[in-house]
Amino acid sequence: MNNFVYFNPVKLIFGKGTITSLSEVLPKDKKIMLVYGGGSIKKNFVYSQIINSLKGFDFVEFAGIEPNPAYETCMKAVEIIKAQNVGFLLAAGGGSVLDAVKFIAAASKFDGDPWNILAEKAEIKSALPLGSVITLPATGSEMNAYSVISKKATNEKLAFYSQEIFPNFSIIDPEATYSLPIKQVINGLVDTFVHTVEQYVTFDVNSPLQDRQAEAILKTIVEISNDVINKQNDYESRANFFWCATSALNGVISCGVPQDWATHMIGHELTAFYGIDHAQSLAIVLPRVWKHNIEHKQSKLIQFGKRVFDIKGKDSKKTAQKAINKTEEFFQSLGIKTKLSDYGIDAKEAAEKISKRFKERNTKLGEKEQLTYKDIKNILKKC
Ligand code: NZQ
Ligand code: ZN
């Protein structure tokens, strides 16, 4: 097992009716900014419960954070925060709203051009404190210190990490997911699945506990996915789904193991250039990244196939291939497409555009940094 440091300060408040606990965890002595997206929180009970809990608090609202949150929109919030002396940020919505709030928190305290937080990975010395009411199981943003922001002007989508942007608390009421459009539910299942395998289907470092923690999430997702999709108001499957999503990216399963993230890095570019949803990009890219890396990943692919999908067979390349095929079939069975052509995107063009970007940035991807821009081009051509 590799060395590791584990740190996670997020207070997670989980279950039915938990939004009412907001009044206990919000600071009384600071002006609060409630940040949300395009209005989904007003179509269910989330907005009204938050507003009720905010009685007696000094707060302003900032609406209009879009999916794949825009840098440009975030900077408008920063201006208001500075003008009105806001001291605490409350995100209400999906991962996009929360990621936006994390960036706004850092940008509000940043000296210099805030785009450098993303483009140059500039050091963040401090950030405004923040909390969340998260309404979409997918990103794990509620319990991690990552944020992904897009710059519309240049078609860029970049991530950053800072311990300063951990939420102080996150509230999850699984009943808030009942209003999710089915497409977002499917996206969330796929994102959770891919987060888990990015930290598990790599190479063996003798980490049986972490392997089984990852397999527990994957098997649970496979087991509950039918109920999650088909029983809209089923509390148990939605609660289990949300806890899987949070657990997949709160730092636990990555302790002491190699991590891949090539699928995410390539997927982010597909979203930046073509606007397809985050999870849609992952469902396309993952099987091709795995096929390209089948030799590096063979033993983990076999273990994954046998333990998660009950595949039978010898410890051979053929069994690893079966595990890849089974994964793509699983995605398709959920109702998500797995080819660029399904979205009218020309694979050759995407391969050129995106590999050029990785060449310019001089970045290599994968758990052994084994993928150059040339590999990325080949992977995308097969998408
Ligand atoms: O904007 P509103 O009106 O709130 O509607 C949203 C949005 O249209 C809607 N929605 C959210 N909760 C709802 C709901 N509709 C009805 N009922 C509810 N309970 O769903 C739509 C999508 O929301 P969004 O927040 O964009 O989805 P998601 O949570 O999947 O977040 C995606 C973003 O997170 C980033 C992605 O790249 C993408 O930008 N990621 C963040 C990560 C992190 N911070 O750790 C890791 C991930 O790998 C990912 O990259
Ligand atoms: Zn993701």
PDB file of all heavy atoms in Angstrom, residues 37-64:
ATOM      1  N   GLY A  37     -29.204  27.489  -8.636  1.00  0.00           N
ATOM      2  CA  GLY A  37     -29.082  27.374 -10.089  1.00  0.00           C
ATOM      3  C   GLY A  37     -30.259  27.948 -10.836  1.00  0.00           C
ATOM      4  O   GLY A  37     -30.678  29.080 -10.599  1.00  0.00           O
ATOM      5  N   GLY A  38     -30.835  27.125 -11.715  1.00  0.00           N
ATOM      6  CA  GLY A  38     -31.885  27.605 -12.609  1.00  0.00           C
ATOM      7  C   GLY A  38     -33.290  27.497 -12.061  1.00  0.00           C
ATOM      8  O   GLY A  38     -34.247  27.689 -12.808  1.00  0.00           O
ATOM      9  N   GLY A  39     -33.434  27.148 -10.791  1.00  0.00           N
ATOM     10  CA  GLY A  39     -34.772  27.165 -10.203  1.00  0.00           C
ATOM     11  C   GLY A  39     -35.312  25.813  -9.771  1.00  0.00           C
ATOM     12  O   GLY A  39     -36.430  25.734  -9.254  1.00  0.00           O
ATOM     13  N   SER A  40     -34.534  24.728  -9.932  1.00  0.00           N
ATOM     14  CA  SER A  40     -35.062  23.414  -9.499  1.00  0.00           C
ATOM     15  C   SER A  40     -35.436  23.431  -8.017  1.00  0.00           C
ATOM     16  O   SER A  40     -36.409  22.788  -7.621  1.00  0.00           O
ATOM     17  CB  SER A  40     -34.042  22.301  -9.767  1.00  0.00           C
ATOM     18  OG  SER A  40     -32.950  22.362  -8.885  1.00  0.00           O
ATOM     19  N   ILE A  41     -34.715  24.165  -7.210  1.00  0.00           N
ATOM     20  CA  ILE A  41     -35.015  24.142  -5.755  1.00  0.00           C
ATOM     21  C   ILE A  41     -36.358  24.796  -5.434  1.00  0.00           C
ATOM     22  O   ILE A  41     -36.883  24.630  -4.340  1.00  0.00           O
ATOM     23  CB  ILE A  41     -33.897  24.790  -4.896  1.00  0.00           C
ATOM     24  CG1 ILE A  41     -33.670  26.258  -5.258  1.00  0.00           C
ATOM     25  CG2 ILE A  41     -32.591  23.999  -4.984  1.00  0.00           C
ATOM     26  CD1 ILE A  41     -32.826  27.007  -4.213  1.00  0.00           C
ATOM     27  N   LYS A  42     -36.903  25.530  -6.419  1.00  0.00           N
ATOM     28  CA  LYS A  42     -38.221  26.139  -6.175  1.00  0.00           C
ATOM     29  C   LYS A  42     -39.348  25.203  -6.624  1.00  0.00           C
ATOM     30  O   LYS A  42     -40.507  25.430  -6.326  1.00  0.00           O
ATOM     31  CB  LYS A  42     -38.325  27.474  -6.909  1.00  0.00           C
ATOM     32  CG  LYS A  42     -37.416  28.527  -6.287  1.00  0.00           C
ATOM     33  CD  LYS A  42     -37.619  29.901  -6.883  1.00  0.00           C
ATOM     34  CE  LYS A  42     -36.771  30.909  -6.118  1.00  0.00           C
ATOM     35  NZ  LYS A  42     -36.720  32.213  -6.769  1.00  0.00           N
ATOM     36  N   LYS A  43     -38.977  24.150  -7.372  1.00  0.00           N
ATOM     37  CA  LYS A  43     -40.004  23.204  -7.856  1.00  0.00           C
ATOM     38  C   LYS A  43     -40.205  22.066  -6.857  1.00  0.00           C
ATOM     39  O   LYS A  43     -41.122  21.268  -7.008  1.00  0.00           O
ATOM     40  CB  LYS A  43     -39.608  22.657  -9.229  1.00  0.00           C
ATOM     41  CG  LYS A  43     -39.642  23.747 -10.298  1.00  0.00           C
ATOM     42  CD  LYS A  43     -39.440  23.181 -11.694  1.00  0.00           C
ATOM     43  CE  LYS A  43     -39.238  24.297 -12.695  1.00  0.00           C
ATOM     44  NZ  LYS A  43     -38.012  24.115 -13.482  1.00  0.00           N
ATOM     45  N   ASN A  44     -39.323  21.946  -5.873  1.00  0.00           N
ATOM     46  CA  ASN A  44     -39.567  20.971  -4.802  1.00  0.00           C
ATOM     47  C   ASN A  44     -39.616  21.746  -3.475  1.00  0.00           C
ATOM     48  O   ASN A  44     -39.849  22.948  -3.482  1.00  0.00           O
ATOM     49  CB  ASN A  44     -38.496  19.868  -4.826  1.00  0.00           C
ATOM     50  CG  ASN A  44     -37.075  20.422  -4.823  1.00  0.00           C
ATOM     51  OD1 ASN A  44     -36.816  21.507  -4.295  1.00  0.00           O
ATOM     52  ND2 ASN A  44     -36.155  19.680  -5.420  1.00  0.00           N
ATOM     53  N   PHE A  45     -39.342  21.061  -2.369  1.00  0.00           N
ATOM     54  CA  PHE A  45     -39.483  21.717  -1.057  1.00  0.00           C
ATOM     55  C   PHE A  45     -38.210  22.419  -0.590  1.00  0.00           C
ATOM     56  O   PHE A  45     -38.181  23.027   0.466  1.00  0.00           O
ATOM     57  CB  PHE A  45     -39.903  20.677  -0.007  1.00  0.00           C
ATOM     58  CG  PHE A  45     -38.956  19.503   0.080  1.00  0.00           C
ATOM     59  CD1 PHE A  45     -37.783  19.583   0.826  1.00  0.00           C
ATOM     60  CD2 PHE A  45     -39.223  18.302  -0.590  1.00  0.00           C
ATOM     61  CE1 PHE A  45     -36.901  18.515   0.901  1.00  0.00           C
ATOM     62  CE2 PHE A  45     -38.340  17.230  -0.523  1.00  0.00           C
ATOM     63  CZ  PHE A  45     -37.182  17.332   0.223  1.00  0.00           C
ATOM     64  N   VAL A  46     -37.142  22.316  -1.377  1.00  0.00           N
ATOM     65  CA  VAL A  46     -35.822  22.737  -0.881  1.00  0.00           C
ATOM     66  C   VAL A  46     -35.769  24.244  -0.596  1.00  0.00           C
ATOM     67  O   VAL A  46     -35.377  24.672   0.500  1.00  0.00           O
ATOM     68  CB  VAL A  46     -34.705  22.305  -1.867  1.00  0.00           C
ATOM     69  CG1 VAL A  46     -33.349  22.874  -1.458  1.00  0.00           C
ATOM     70  CG2 VAL A  46     -34.635  20.776  -1.948  1.00  0.00           C
ATOM     71  N   TYR A  47     -36.186  25.039  -1.568  1.00  0.00           N
ATOM     72  CA  TYR A  47     -36.100  26.499  -1.396  1.00  0.00           C
ATOM     73  C   TYR A  47     -36.945  26.961  -0.205  1.00  0.00           C
ATOM     74  O   TYR A  47     -36.475  27.717   0.644  1.00  0.00           O
ATOM     75  CB  TYR A  47     -36.553  27.205  -2.680  1.00  0.00           C
ATOM     76  CG  TYR A  47     -36.501  28.717  -2.613  1.00  0.00           C
ATOM     77  CD1 TYR A  47     -35.300  29.401  -2.755  1.00  0.00           C
ATOM     78  CD2 TYR A  47     -37.666  29.448  -2.410  1.00  0.00           C
ATOM     79  CE1 TYR A  47     -35.259  30.791  -2.697  1.00  0.00           C
ATOM     80  CE2 TYR A  47     -37.636  30.842  -2.349  1.00  0.00           C
ATOM     81  CZ  TYR A  47     -36.432  31.499  -2.497  1.00  0.00           C
ATOM     82  OH  TYR A  47     -36.398  32.876  -2.439  1.00  0.00           O
ATOM     83  N   SER A  48     -38.177  26.475  -0.132  1.00  0.00           N
ATOM     84  CA  SER A  48     -39.052  26.969   0.952  1.00  0.00           C
ATOM     85  C   SER A  48     -38.511  26.551   2.319  1.00  0.00           C
ATOM     86  O   SER A  48     -38.551  27.328   3.279  1.00  0.00           O
ATOM     87  CB  SER A  48     -40.494  26.515   0.754  1.00  0.00           C
ATOM     88  OG  SER A  48     -40.544  25.115   0.762  1.00  0.00           O
ATOM     89  N   GLN A  49     -37.959  25.343   2.410  1.00  0.00           N
ATOM     90  CA  GLN A  49     -37.402  24.925   3.712  1.00  0.00           C
ATOM     91  C   GLN A  49     -36.170  25.745   4.084  1.00  0.00           C
ATOM     92  O   GLN A  49     -35.959  26.072   5.251  1.00  0.00           O
ATOM     93  CB  GLN A  49     -37.047  23.430   3.682  1.00  0.00           C
ATOM     94  CG  GLN A  49     -38.286  22.544   3.697  1.00  0.00           C
ATOM     95  CD  GLN A  49     -37.965  21.079   3.997  1.00  0.00           C
ATOM     96  OE1 GLN A  49     -36.812  20.696   4.171  1.00  0.00           O
ATOM     97  NE2 GLN A  49     -39.003  20.254   4.041  1.00  0.00           N
ATOM     98  N   ILE A  50     -35.368  26.081   3.071  1.00  0.00           N
ATOM     99  CA  ILE A  50     -34.178  26.904   3.363  1.00  0.00           C
ATOM    100  C   ILE A  50     -34.615  28.291   3.827  1.00  0.00           C
ATOM    101  O   ILE A  50     -34.110  28.808   4.834  1.00  0.00           O
ATOM    102  CB  ILE A  50     -33.253  27.001   2.123  1.00  0.00           C
ATOM    103  CG1 ILE A  50     -32.607  25.643   1.835  1.00  0.00           C
ATOM    104  CG2 ILE A  50     -32.170  28.066   2.327  1.00  0.00           C
ATOM    105  CD1 ILE A  50     -31.767  25.591   0.562  1.00  0.00           C
ATOM    106  N   ILE A  51     -35.553  28.879   3.096  1.00  0.00           N
ATOM    107  CA  ILE A  51     -36.002  30.233   3.448  1.00  0.00           C
ATOM    108  C   ILE A  51     -36.597  30.251   4.865  1.00  0.00           C
ATOM    109  O   ILE A  51     -36.341  31.159   5.654  1.00  0.00           O
ATOM    110  CB  ILE A  51     -37.003  30.776   2.390  1.00  0.00           C
ATOM    111  CG1 ILE A  51     -36.295  30.944   1.037  1.00  0.00           C
ATOM    112  CG2 ILE A  51     -37.636  32.092   2.834  1.00  0.00           C
ATOM    113  CD1 ILE A  51     -35.102  31.905   1.012  1.00  0.00           C
ATOM    114  N   ASN A  52     -37.343  29.210   5.209  1.00  0.00           N
ATOM    115  CA  ASN A  52     -37.883  29.115   6.576  1.00  0.00           C
ATOM    116  C   ASN A  52     -36.770  29.067   7.615  1.00  0.00           C
ATOM    117  O   ASN A  52     -36.848  29.717   8.660  1.00  0.00           O
ATOM    118  CB  ASN A  52     -38.723  27.834   6.725  1.00  0.00           C
ATOM    119  CG  ASN A  52     -40.170  28.105   6.411  1.00  0.00           C
ATOM    120  OD1 ASN A  52     -40.625  29.242   6.503  1.00  0.00           O
ATOM    121  ND2 ASN A  52     -40.880  27.058   6.017  1.00  0.00           N
ATOM    122  N   SER A  53     -35.734  28.277   7.288  1.00  0.00           N
ATOM    123  CA  SER A  53     -34.620  28.129   8.239  1.00  0.00           C
ATOM    124  C   SER A  53     -33.783  29.392   8.345  1.00  0.00           C
ATOM    125  O   SER A  53     -33.050  29.577   9.317  1.00  0.00           O
ATOM    126  CB  SER A  53     -33.709  26.979   7.818  1.00  0.00           C
ATOM    127  OG  SER A  53     -34.441  25.805   7.672  1.00  0.00           O
ATOM    128  N   LEU A  54     -33.866  30.253   7.325  1.00  0.00           N
ATOM    129  CA  LEU A  54     -33.049  31.474   7.322  1.00  0.00           C
ATOM    130  C   LEU A  54     -33.721  32.631   8.066  1.00  0.00           C
ATOM    131  O   LEU A  54     -33.173  33.737   8.104  1.00  0.00           O
ATOM    132  CB  LEU A  54     -32.733  31.894   5.881  1.00  0.00           C
ATOM    133  CG  LEU A  54     -31.613  31.116   5.174  1.00  0.00           C
ATOM    134  CD1 LEU A  54     -31.548  31.453   3.698  1.00  0.00           C
ATOM    135  CD2 LEU A  54     -30.262  31.378   5.832  1.00  0.00           C
ATOM    136  N   LYS A  55     -34.885  32.373   8.651  1.00  0.00           N
ATOM    137  CA  LYS A  55     -35.560  33.446   9.414  1.00  0.00           C
ATOM    138  C   LYS A  55     -34.643  33.937  10.525  1.00  0.00           C
ATOM    139  O   LYS A  55     -34.102  33.142  11.282  1.00  0.00           O
ATOM    140  CB  LYS A  55     -36.878  32.929  10.009  1.00  0.00           C
ATOM    141  CG  LYS A  55     -38.015  33.059   9.016  1.00  0.00           C
ATOM    142  CD  LYS A  55     -39.362  32.711   9.607  1.00  0.00           C
ATOM    143  CE  LYS A  55     -40.339  32.579   8.460  1.00  0.00           C
ATOM    144  NZ  LYS A  55     -41.165  31.373   8.553  1.00  0.00           N
ATOM    145  N   GLY A  56     -34.464  35.244  10.584  1.00  0.00           N
ATOM    146  CA  GLY A  56     -33.608  35.817  11.627  1.00  0.00           C
ATOM    147  C   GLY A  56     -32.155  35.947  11.192  1.00  0.00           C
ATOM    148  O   GLY A  56     -31.343  36.548  11.894  1.00  0.00           O
ATOM    149  N   PHE A  57     -31.800  35.376  10.033  1.00  0.00           N
ATOM    150  CA  PHE A  57     -30.431  35.531   9.506  1.00  0.00           C
ATOM    151  C   PHE A  57     -30.417  36.665   8.488  1.00  0.00           C
ATOM    152  O   PHE A  57     -31.416  36.945   7.824  1.00  0.00           O
ATOM    153  CB  PHE A  57     -29.967  34.243   8.805  1.00  0.00           C
ATOM    154  CG  PHE A  57     -29.673  33.100   9.736  1.00  0.00           C
ATOM    155  CD1 PHE A  57     -30.699  32.237  10.137  1.00  0.00           C
ATOM    156  CD2 PHE A  57     -28.389  32.879  10.206  1.00  0.00           C
ATOM    157  CE1 PHE A  57     -30.431  31.182  10.993  1.00  0.00           C
ATOM    158  CE2 PHE A  57     -28.113  31.824  11.064  1.00  0.00           C
ATOM    159  CZ  PHE A  57     -29.140  30.961  11.461  1.00  0.00           C
ATOM    160  N   ASP A  58     -29.260  37.299   8.357  1.00  0.00           N
ATOM    161  CA  ASP A  58     -29.072  38.345   7.347  1.00  0.00           C
ATOM    162  C   ASP A  58     -28.578  37.651   6.077  1.00  0.00           C
ATOM    163  O   ASP A  58     -27.510  37.035   6.086  1.00  0.00           O
ATOM    164  CB  ASP A  58     -28.010  39.328   7.884  1.00  0.00           C
ATOM    165  CG  ASP A  58     -27.784  40.490   6.930  1.00  0.00           C
ATOM    166  OD1 ASP A  58     -28.634  40.696   6.029  1.00  0.00           O
ATOM    167  OD2 ASP A  58     -26.750  41.185   7.098  1.00  0.00           O
ATOM    168  N   PHE A  59     -29.370  37.703   4.979  1.00  0.00           N
ATOM    169  CA  PHE A  59     -28.912  36.980   3.773  1.00  0.00           C
ATOM    170  C   PHE A  59     -29.328  37.657   2.476  1.00  0.00           C
ATOM    171  O   PHE A  59     -30.269  38.435   2.435  1.00  0.00           O
ATOM    172  CB  PHE A  59     -29.408  35.523   3.792  1.00  0.00           C
ATOM    173  CG  PHE A  59     -30.875  35.341   3.532  1.00  0.00           C
ATOM    174  CD1 PHE A  59     -31.317  35.017   2.245  1.00  0.00           C
ATOM    175  CD2 PHE A  59     -31.813  35.492   4.543  1.00  0.00           C
ATOM    176  CE1 PHE A  59     -32.675  34.829   1.983  1.00  0.00           C
ATOM    177  CE2 PHE A  59     -33.165  35.306   4.297  1.00  0.00           C
ATOM    178  CZ  PHE A  59     -33.601  34.973   3.018  1.00  0.00           C
ATOM    179  N   VAL A  60     -28.560  37.360   1.422  1.00  0.00           N
ATOM    180  CA  VAL A  60     -28.919  37.778   0.057  1.00  0.00           C
ATOM    181  C   VAL A  60     -28.975  36.506  -0.807  1.00  0.00           C
ATOM    182  O   VAL A  60     -28.417  35.477  -0.433  1.00  0.00           O
ATOM    183  CB  VAL A  60     -27.886  38.742  -0.572  1.00  0.00           C
ATOM    184  CG1 VAL A  60     -27.963  40.108   0.035  1.00  0.00           C
ATOM    185  CG2 VAL A  60     -26.462  38.192  -0.482  1.00  0.00           C
ATOM    186  N   GLU A  61     -29.626  36.616  -1.952  1.00  0.00           N
ATOM    187  CA  GLU A  61     -29.719  35.466  -2.851  1.00  0.00           C
ATOM    188  C   GLU A  61     -28.941  35.735  -4.132  1.00  0.00           C
ATOM    189  O   GLU A  61     -28.898  36.864  -4.616  1.00  0.00           O
ATOM    190  CB  GLU A  61     -31.188  35.186  -3.227  1.00  0.00           C
ATOM    191  CG  GLU A  61     -32.030  34.779  -2.041  1.00  0.00           C
ATOM    192  CD  GLU A  61     -33.448  34.357  -2.442  1.00  0.00           C
ATOM    193  OE1 GLU A  61     -33.639  33.895  -3.592  1.00  0.00           O
ATOM    194  OE2 GLU A  61     -34.352  34.509  -1.602  1.00  0.00           O
ATOM    195  N   PHE A  62     -28.346  34.684  -4.672  1.00  0.00           N
ATOM    196  CA  PHE A  62     -27.712  34.772  -5.994  1.00  0.00           C
ATOM    197  C   PHE A  62     -28.151  33.551  -6.792  1.00  0.00           C
ATOM    198  O   PHE A  62     -27.773  32.420  -6.474  1.00  0.00           O
ATOM    199  CB  PHE A  62     -26.184  34.828  -5.874  1.00  0.00           C
ATOM    200  CG  PHE A  62     -25.498  35.045  -7.205  1.00  0.00           C
ATOM    201  CD1 PHE A  62     -25.242  36.334  -7.664  1.00  0.00           C
ATOM    202  CD2 PHE A  62     -25.136  33.968  -8.012  1.00  0.00           C
ATOM    203  CE1 PHE A  62     -24.633  36.546  -8.905  1.00  0.00           C
ATOM    204  CE2 PHE A  62     -24.523  34.168  -9.247  1.00  0.00           C
ATOM    205  CZ  PHE A  62     -24.272  35.460  -9.694  1.00  0.00           C
ATOM    206  N   ALA A  63     -28.946  33.773  -7.825  1.00  0.00           N
ATOM    207  CA  ALA A  63     -29.476  32.670  -8.628  1.00  0.00           C
ATOM    208  C   ALA A  63     -28.803  32.638  -9.997  1.00  0.00           C
ATOM    209  O   ALA A  63     -28.148  33.596 -10.405  1.00  0.00           O
ATOM    210  CB  ALA A  63     -30.981  32.839  -8.794  1.00  0.00           C
ATOM    211  N   GLY A  64     -28.971  31.522 -10.704  1.00  0.00           N
ATOM    212  CA  GLY A  64     -28.552  31.466 -12.109  1.00  0.00           C
ATOM    213  C   GLY A  64     -27.243  30.763 -12.387  1.00  0.00           C
ATOM    214  O   GLY A  64     -26.702  30.880 -13.485  1.00  0.00           O
TER     215      GLY A  64
END
